[in-house]
Amino acid sequence: MSEPNPIKRAADKVTEALQGSTGGPEDGIPGKPAPESPGVAEPVEPREPLPPKPDQSGPDTMSPTGQATGAAQARAAQSGAYLTDAQGTRLYDTDHSLKAGPRGPVLLQDHHLREKVMHFDHERIPERVVHARGAAAHGVFKSYGTAAAVTKAAFLAPGAETPVFVRFSTVLGSRGSADTVRDTRGFATKFYTEEGVFDLVGNNMPVFFVQDAIKFPDIIHAGKPHPDREIPQAQSAHDTFWDFVTLHTEATHHTLWNMSDRGIPRSYRMMEGFGVHTFRLVAADGSTTLVKFHWKPKLGVHSLVWEEAQIAGGVDPDFHRRDLADAIEAGAYPEWELGIQTFPDTPDQTFEGIDLLDATNLVPEELAPVQPIGLLTLNRNPSNYFAETEQVAFHVGHLVPGIDITDDPLLAGRLFSYLDTQITRLAGPNFAQIPINRPHAPVNDMQRDGFHQDAVHRGVAPYRPNSLDGGCPFLAGADNGAYIETPVRVPEATKVRAAPESFSDHFSQPRRFWLSMSAVEREHIIGAYTFELGKCYEQAIKKRALQVLANIDAELCARVAEGLGLPAPEPTVPPADVTPSPALSQTGQAWPTDGRLIGIVTGPDGDLDGVRAVREAVLGAGMVPLVVAPTGGTLGAGDDALTVQRTFVTARSIEFDALLLAGAPAPGGDAHGSRDAKALPSGRPGAVDPRVSLLLTEAFRHGKAIGTWAGGEAALEALGIPSDAPGVVVGQNGTSVLERLRELMAAHRAWDRFTTTV
């Protein structure tokens, strides 16, 4: 007997669960970010800090006991023309960690790096500084055993199963921000292995903005809301972000990914994950291999179009976390394959001319295929958001035998930063004892006391060597599963704050990404740059951004310049000669339709027998049907009554992957503009409900599959939607229409419906 369909088994349960610019003050336009407008070139002449704008003022200067001091407010502000550390010592470099040679490891003695990152780690209490808005789930990771040849990690051995906890997040927004903003997404996985906790802390993009962790506070300060107004929230469409990334062109590659469709995922379930850095795997025989980690969603990579993201931000700011929780509750368990790209562990740590220590680089899959090594399935929602999703603590230094780090200077700073952050955010050093963080392996660490110490330690000798506790704990050797760092030889080098010459190429990888995009994806990138730069106030920043785009591709620059009303500059470097990587595009492939949401739109006079049949067919295909009708409650009577999950008031096109229209529902009793702004005048008696018209036109505009029967084609024609348009299916009954619709949905969208000019 076959195993019951988990979605069909959970259908009744999920049914219940789911009911439920330019200008300035001189011309009357506010929003100028600073008191003086900048030039295109980076300022290099030292000067004192700028004064506040005329509309700005700080608090009155009072003593701790409420007495006026008479001191000028400027006494509490920064002063001096030169960058210093917190003790007033002037600094000559804040872009490079102190390393043993340009390609050597970062040195612990770098007091500037530690002070800068430590202070950044503690800027928010108690919310995470970055990745504050998250959603999470429990699951299991099953190893294929295919990595056993390159790593001795026990959780990657053949047949090993490991419990996991995965947290997805946005980077820039606060806990109260929206899910669907254009932003990088975090993809952090905690493996509770028998050898200790392993955390794979990555993003949904394989590259990062900066090459060295000492600049991480800078990019986040630039991307966060302007500190004077705390706006704009959870987005990069503002001056400070574009000021930084156009002056610091190593950020170009990640910025281009952010402006692509990758910046607005359709769902966490359809989002890739990347370890970003290059790691070192150690095999049982001691041999080593350099790797990059990849999470590949079984449903394929899929994104929202910009209008969908904007709608979702207003009608459902919890769009992604709701989608994840509902899918798991419905039994449509999200799955990802963990894969690795492998590279020889050579002394120069490069591959095919690509520097593997530069986190702004990726290695095309055509050069190094991603080899699947295991399957991740998320099958349980958290029971308490704060206790689990909010208190989970990840750290790139949580490693297990068989997985080691490299000399990536961005990774080096993260090794310090994550541990330091938890001390403030989780109020002390014992954060590993919080239930969600506890390892599933014996702990005997000799660490005692501190805030929130939950363990009741025994013995009198938390030190070693000792004899009073019988010598326990003892050191382990390699044969006992000890974690032993790979003995990598550090070349003789001079201590310097510098980057290797290979880190200076900032445009060839962005050009490869641009050339790898389909025509539709290029249009979306152009639109994203035009929108984001159009929200900037300063013309100089827009011009500087165009200069960066000119160094990527002339057409990209020209199209964005056209939208900004500015001339397109000539490139300052010749366009790189690169080979496109088809794997970087989200189009041109077919994916499973498991767990997709199908909106079935009907009314009390529609083909209810047909709706029942197609609803069962949707469930049988492993998808989730949502019946949309004029009012809540049920349609029909008796045992065959259909439960309504969405009404014309509550439904919006963004949550559906496809629409089925059973007939042409007449306007509902609440179809009044004064009661529901979506219910604009329908034009004539007996016409389709205006909310349904909006639902259909939005879905059509966004390239979603639409099917209809029982007279619904008349509604499409009335809206100017041709019945023979790409992605539109007209049939005699719902089940036959559904079959053809599933084939269309495998491509995510009807891409042929979009017009392109590039």
Side-chain angles (χ1 to χ4, degrees):
M1 183 175 181
S2 61
E3 183 179 337
N5 185 319
I7 298 180
K8 190 169 178 63
R9 186 177 63 238
D12 293 337
K13 181 179 178 182
V14 78
T15 292
E16 298 174 6
L18 291 172
Q19 286 193 41
S21 71
T22 58
E26 62 275 7
D27 49 22
I29 303 175
K32 186 177 178 67
E36 295 182 10
S37 293
V40 175
E42 178 181 1
V44 294
E45 188 66 30
R47 60 178 293 177
E48 290 292 316
L50 297 178
K53 295 194 301 179
D55 64 309
Q56 297 174 324
S57 176
D60 292 337
T61 52
M62 311 294 289
S63 76
T65 55
Q67 306 298 310
T69 66
Q73 292 181 5
R75 293 282 296 275
Q78 66 271 21
S79 62
Y82 294 94
L83 178 68
T84 74
D85 65 13
Q87 311 308 314
T89 302
R90 291 183 180 180
L91 301 167
Y92 73 93
D93 189 319
T94 191
D95 285 343
H96 304 97
S97 299
L98 190 65
K99 298 185 279 291
R103 296 186 60 75
V106 174
L107 301 178
L108 182 62
Q109 74 178 71
D110 189 349
H111 56 89
H112 176 41
L113 165 69
R114 288 185 287 115
E115 179 190 77
K116 183 176 179 180
V117 176
M118 177 275 295
H119 193 281
F120 168 74
D121 290 342
H122 297 274
E123 287 182 0
R124 302 289 185 275
I125 300 174
E127 184 179 277
R128 287 170 168 87
V129 179
V130 288
H131 299 277
R133 180 168 182 84
H138 297 272
V140 63
F141 176 79
K142 297 181 180 180
S143 171
Y144 297 157
T146 48
V150 291
T151 179
K152 61 184 178 182
F155 80 98
L156 294 176
E161 293 192 15
T162 305
V164 298
F165 188 73
V166 179
R167 187 178 189 269
F168 305 102
S169 55
T170 53
V171 172
L172 293 177
S174 68
R175 277 190 62 187
S177 57
D179 278 350
T180 58
V181 295
R182 182 180 294 280
D183 196 2
T184 305
R185 296 324 192 267
F187 193 134
T189 307
K190 186 177 290 292
F191 296 83
Y192 302 95
T193 86
E194 63 185 37
E195 297 179 298
V197 168
F198 170 58
D199 286 345
L200 183 53
V201 195
N203 288 333
N204 72 320
M205 299 179 188
V207 293
F208 199 64
F209 287 109
V210 295
Q211 298 163 325
D212 193 311
I214 201 169
K215 291 177 280 193
F216 188 71
D218 298 318
I219 179 59
I220 299 303
H221 285 167
K224 285 284 190 178
H226 290 201
D228 53 351
R229 300 187 178 194
E230 189 62 14
I231 56 175
Q233 177 61 242
Q235 59 175 299
S236 55
H238 56 90
D239 289 75
T240 60
F241 174 81
W242 288 98
D243 186 37
F244 179 81
V245 300
T246 55
L247 290 172
H248 215 70
T249 53
E250 71 189 56
T252 300
H253 195 189
H254 191 168
T255 302
L256 185 57
W257 274 75
N258 235 27
M259 295 303 105
S260 77
D261 292 343
R262 303 279 186 147
I264 41 176
R266 161 63 179 85
S267 162
Y268 291 136
R269 298 180 291 133
M270 304 170 197
M271 187 177 82
E272 273 187 298
F274 303 89
V276 180
H277 306 287
T278 300
F279 291 83
R280 175 176 282 111
L281 297 187
V282 184
D285 63 2
S287 61
T288 60
T289 305
L290 299 182
V291 301
K292 286 183 175 290
F293 290 105
H294 294 248
W295 289 112
K296 296 285 190 180
K298 297 289 279 187
L299 295 180
V301 187
H302 190 23
S303 297
L304 297 170
V305 296
W306 180 230
E307 186 184 28
E308 288 179 301
Q310 292 176 301
I311 293 171
V315 302
D316 188 4
D318 305 304
F319 186 72
H320 283 153
R321 61 171 61 179
R322 188 189 313 280
D323 174 86
L324 178 67
D326 284 353
I328 293 173
E329 185 176 5
Y333 300 140
E335 293 182 327
W336 292 259
E337 278 193 316
L338 179 62
I340 54 174
Q341 288 179 297
T342 61
F343 320 102
D345 191 357
T346 57
D348 63 2
Q349 296 178 90
T350 65
F351 180 77
E352 297 289 341
I354 299 170
D355 194 326
L356 298 175
L357 301 187
D358 183 351
T360 68
N361 284 343
L362 60 81
V363 179
E365 294 183 27
E366 291 77 15
L367 296 180
V370 176
Q371 306 166 48
I373 63 173
L375 181 68
L376 167 68
T377 303
L378 297 183
N379 53 23
R380 288 185 296 128
N381 284 314
S383 58
N384 183 280
Y385 183 91
F386 178 80
E388 300 169 83
T389 307
E390 188 61 21
Q391 289 197 120
V392 66
F394 296 96
H395 177 30
V396 290
H398 290 165
L399 302 165
V400 293
I403 302 178
D404 204 347
I405 61 169
T406 57
D407 291 334
D408 178 342
L410 179 64
L411 177 57
R414 294 180 73 193
L415 290 167
F416 166 74
S417 178
Y418 281 72
L419 195 62
D420 183 55
T421 297
Q422 315 304 352
I423 295 174
T424 289
R425 193 173 66 82
L426 298 174
N430 292 308
F431 59 86
Q433 296 182 18
I434 296 172
I436 192 63
N437 295 322
R438 291 175 182 171
H440 293 196
V443 175
N444 193 345
D445 57 13
M446 295 193 300
Q447 297 171 12
R448 297 292 185 267
D449 307 336
F451 284 109
H452 306 297
Q453 177 58 259
D454 292 330
V456 182
H457 294 105
R458 297 179 179 179
V460 296
Y463 54 84
R464 71 166 318 279
N466 74 74
S467 62
L468 296 178
D469 282 347
C472 188
F474 298 90
L475 296 178
D479 56 339
N480 302 119
Y483 186 90
I484 301 175
E485 289 78 8
T486 306
V488 177
R489 182 178 296 279
V490 177
E492 293 183 10
T494 304
K495 291 186 297 184
V496 294
R497 290 193 184 276
E501 181 60 31
S502 57
F503 276 38
S504 62
D505 176 9
H506 299 163
F507 300 111
S508 64
Q509 289 240 339
R511 179 164 174 78
R512 187 199 308 275
F513 184 82
W514 167 257
L515 294 178
S516 302
M517 296 294 100
S518 65
V520 173
E521 291 169 310
R522 291 187 188 186
E523 294 283 4
H524 292 171
I525 290 172
I526 292 167
Y529 271 104
T530 305
F531 174 85
E532 296 250 335
L533 292 170
K535 298 287 281 187
C536 290
Y537 184 96
E538 297 293 354
Q539 292 290 92
I541 291 175
K542 300 175 188 178
K543 293 177 181 178
R544 198 187 305 140
L546 289 174
Q547 186 62 72
V548 172
L549 296 183
N551 290 344
I552 299 173
D553 185 85
E555 186 169 29
L556 168 61
C557 179
R559 300 288 182 173
V560 175
E562 181 181 37
L564 297 177
L566 293 171
E570 293 297 318
T572 58
V573 296
D577 183 13
V578 295
T579 302
S581 171
L584 297 176
S585 173
Q586 296 187 56
T587 65
Q589 298 186 61
W591 303 100
T593 58
D594 302 3
R596 303 301 173 89
L597 272 63
I598 311 297
I600 307 174
V601 185
T602 189
D605 298 326
D607 177 17
L608 299 188
D609 288 337
V611 171
R612 291 186 190 94
V614 79
R615 183 179 181 277
E616 289 300 309
V618 170
L619 286 168
M623 299 182 291
V624 179
L626 297 176
V627 176
V628 185
T631 66
T634 59
L635 293 173
D639 295 338
D640 291 333
L642 284 164
T643 300
V644 175
Q645 286 98 7
R646 295 289 187 275
T647 67
F648 294 167
V649 171
T650 61
R652 203 66 189 261
S653 64
I654 53 166
E655 74 175 309
F656 304 113
D657 294 291
L659 289 177
L660 286 168
L661 181 63
D670 60 347
H672 303 289
S674 57
R675 191 176 303 169
D676 181 359
K678 300 191 301 298
L680 299 174
S682 57
R684 58 184 177 82
V688 175
D689 187 288
R691 280 83 54 90
V692 173
S693 298
L694 180 63
L695 198 66
L696 292 167
T697 54
E698 282 182 354
F700 185 79
R701 197 160 62 237
H702 300 154
K704 294 182 177 178
I706 299 173
T708 186
W709 78 98
E713 60 270 23
L716 298 182
E717 292 173 5
L719 297 173
I721 299 176
S723 58
D724 59 350
V728 176
V729 178
V730 177
Q732 297 298 316
N733 58 73
T735 53
S736 63
V737 169
L738 176 64
E739 282 304 307
R740 294 164 61 190
L741 218 61
R742 283 186 66 193
E743 297 175 10
L744 296 167
M745 291 170 59
H748 291 319
R749 297 187 193 276
W751 297 108
D752 292 344
R753 199 182 293 165
F754 295 97
T755 58
T756 59
T757 59
V758 292

